[in-house]
Amino acid sequence: IAGGAPGAPPRGSVTRSIRTAPMRGDDLMADAVLSSDPPARRVVAKPNALRRFFQRKSTIAFLMALPLILLIAVLVIYPAFYAIYLSTLRKSMTSVAWMRNCSWLPDAICTRMPFGNMQFLFTRETFWKVVYQSCLFAITAVIFKALLGFIIAHFVHNIPAKGQRKWRGMLLIPWVIPPAMSTLAWLWLFDPSYSAFNYVLTGMGFGRIPWTGDASWARFSVILVNIWVGAPFFMIMYLAALKSVPEQLYEAAEIDGANWWQRIWYVTLPMMRNIIAITALFSTIVTFANFDIVRVLTAGGPLDQTHLFATWAFRLGIEGGDIPLGASVSLFMVPILAIAAVFILRDINQRGNEA
C-alpha cells in the first residue's frame, strides 16, 4: 500500500473517497460528538409577572366581561345601595329616620338602627294590602303562565316541522310587543263605556262587567293581562326543553304500556324539571317587580286594591314626594324574592347532585 499497488488510487484520493462516502447513523453521531464544539446555551428571557398575568385565560375572560360588570355596577349595584341609603332618611332627606316606639327591641338597637320608615310602613293597613296583592298577583300569574305555556308548547311540538316556525312567530307576538303598548289595547277592551267584552256580553244577554271598577274584577284583569304577556316566554322555554327529550324514552314508555298522561308525568316532567324551576324563578322575580301593566290598566285602583310593590312605591316616592318611604317599599321585595330563590335553586342543586 505504501508503494502503491498498480491501479490503486493515490492515498489522498482514498481519503477523500472515504470522507465522501455515506456514513451510518452511529458514525455521524460519533463524528458530531468528537469533531463539533459544544453548542452554546440559548438564553431565553423569562416573561415578567405582568405579561404572565395578561396571558392567563382567567384574566382574558375577566377583561372580556369587564364592560358587562361595569354596566351592572352602574345600573344595578349602585342604585341598590343608594336605595338602601335613601330608605334610612326622613321625608326631607336631610336626616336619618331613627326608629321610634321600639320598646320591643333592646335599647342599643332601638337608638342606633335607622328603621323609622319600615316601622311606619308596618303600621299602615295599605302596606299589608300591597303585600297580599303582590303575592296573589305573582303566584297566580306564574302558575297559569306555566300551565298555559306547557300546553301550548306541547301543541307546537306536535306540529310538523314546516309549520312550527309560523306558529312560534305568531305565539311570541304578545311577549315581543312592549307591555305598556299592549296594555293600552287591553284598556280599551276593558273600558266601562265602550268595552268590546261588554258589547259581546250584552249581545248574548248578560250584564256589563266593571272590569276595572270593581276590586275583584280589577285584580282578575291585571292578572289576565300579565298571563297573556308572559305565557309565550314559558312556551318558548318549554318547547326548547321538549326538543331535548330523547324520543327513545317515549318509545320505551309506550312499549311498557304507558298512556299519554303517564308519559308526561314520568318522562316529560322529570326531564324538564330544571327548566321549569328556572323559568318559574325568573318569571316570579319579573312578575313581583311588574309596574307597567298595573300602572296603565288600573293605576292601583280602585281604592288601592290592585297596587303592587312597584306601583305603590311610585305612588309614595314620585307622586307623593316621599322618596325615602318609596325606597323602603321597593326594598321590601328583596327578602321575599331571596327566600323564593334560595328554595328553588337549592332544589335544582339537589337534583343536579342526584343526576
Side-chain angles (χ1 to χ4, degrees), residues 129-148:
K129 186 186 299 182
V130 169
V131 173
Y132 166 74
Q133 290 165 178
S134 299
C135 294
L136 176 67
F137 175 77
I139 295 174
T140 306
V142 170
I143 290 175
F144 280 96
K145 282 188 289 187
L147 291 175
L148 191 60

Side-chain angles (χ1 to χ4, degrees), residues 46-61 63:
K46 295 183 178 180
N48 54 21
L50 184 62
R51 181 176 297 179
R52 289 199 305 268
F53 176 75
F54 282 103
Q55 288 178 349
R56 296 176 182 174
K57 293 183 178 180
S58 58
T59 305
I60 297 173
L63 292 176

Side-chain angles (χ1 to χ4, degrees), residues 21-319:
M23 302 178 66
R24 294 181 301 171
D26 299 339
D27 298 334
L28 284 171
M29 186 178 298
D31 185 60
V33 171
L34 295 175
S35 61
S36 61
D37 297 331
R41 293 183 178 180
R42 297 177 60 186
V43 180
V44 180
K46 295 183 178 180
N48 54 21
L50 184 62
R51 181 176 297 179
R52 289 199 305 268
F53 176 75
F54 282 103
Q55 288 178 349
R56 296 176 182 174
K57 293 183 178 180
S58 58
T59 305
I60 297 173
F62 173 77
L63 292 176
M64 295 180 68
L66 184 59
L68 180 60
I69 295 174
L70 294 176
L71 187 65
I72 293 175
V74 173
L75 299 180
V76 177
I77 298 178
Y78 171 73
F81 282 98
Y82 188 61
I84 295 174
Y85 167 72
L86 288 177
S87 66
T88 63
L89 301 179
R90 296 182 183 273
K91 184 175 181 179
S92 61
M93 299 179 64
T94 57
S95 60
V96 176
W98 302 105
M99 179 178 279
R100 299 183 179 91
N101 300 325
C102 53
S103 57
W104 52 281
L105 287 174
D107 293 338
I109 298 178
C110 179
T111 57
R112 296 180 182 178
M113 299 302 289
F115 290 154
N117 290 322
M118 289 293 183
Q119 180 199 19
F120 177 71
L121 289 175
F122 291 161
T123 58
R124 296 192 64 178
E125 182 182 356
T126 307
F127 173 75
W128 296 110
K129 186 186 299 182
V130 169
V131 173
Y132 166 74
Q133 290 165 178
S134 299
C135 294
L136 176 67
F137 175 77
I139 295 174
T140 306
V142 170
I143 290 175
F144 280 96
K145 282 188 289 187
L147 291 175
L148 191 60
F150 189 79
I151 295 172
I152 298 175
H154 271 79
F155 168 74
V156 177
H157 181 66
N158 293 323
I159 294 176
K162 292 183 179 180
Q164 281 193 16
R165 183 178 301 177
K166 183 190 303 182
W167 280 98
R168 285 199 303 264
M170 290 189 298
L171 292 172
L172 279 176
I173 290 177
W175 187 60
V176 173
I177 298 175
M181 185 181 299
S182 60
T183 307
L184 286 174
W186 282 96
L187 181 61
W188 174 77
L189 293 174
F190 292 141
D191 186 85
S193 300
Y194 306 99
S195 172
F197 291 152
N198 284 338
Y199 177 79
V200 175
L201 290 175
T202 53
M204 298 174 61
F206 297 98
R208 291 178 173 269
I209 296 178
W211 297 102
T212 58
D214 180 74
S216 300
W217 283 110
R219 290 171 182 168
F220 171 80
S221 300
V222 294
I223 292 173
L224 177 64
V225 175
N226 187 270
I227 293 172
W228 183 81
V229 172
F233 171 73
F234 281 80
M235 182 270 297
I236 201 67
M237 294 294 292
Y238 291 167
L239 183 60
L242 286 172
K243 298 290 184 182
S244 63
V245 179
E247 290 293 335
Q248 292 82 358
L249 297 179
Y250 292 110
E251 295 175 358
E254 188 175 359
I255 292 174
D256 291 339
N259 53 28
W260 67 273
W261 170 250
Q262 292 173 333
R263 290 197 295 268
I264 291 176
W265 186 259
Y266 293 105
V267 178
T268 305
L269 290 179
M271 296 297 294
M272 294 176 57
R273 57 187 181 182
N274 286 343
I275 297 296
I276 293 173
I278 294 174
T279 307
L281 174 61
F282 178 78
S283 180
T284 302
I285 295 173
V286 174
T287 306
F288 251 104
N290 185 269
F291 173 80
D292 40 14
I293 293 177
V294 176
R295 179 65 184 176
V296 174
L297 199 61
T298 63
L303 300 176
D304 300 329
Q305 296 296 320
T306 58
H307 264 310
L308 307 178
F309 282 115
T311 57
W312 200 49
F314 181 83
R315 172 69 61 83
L316 294 177
I318 304 302
E319 295 182 340

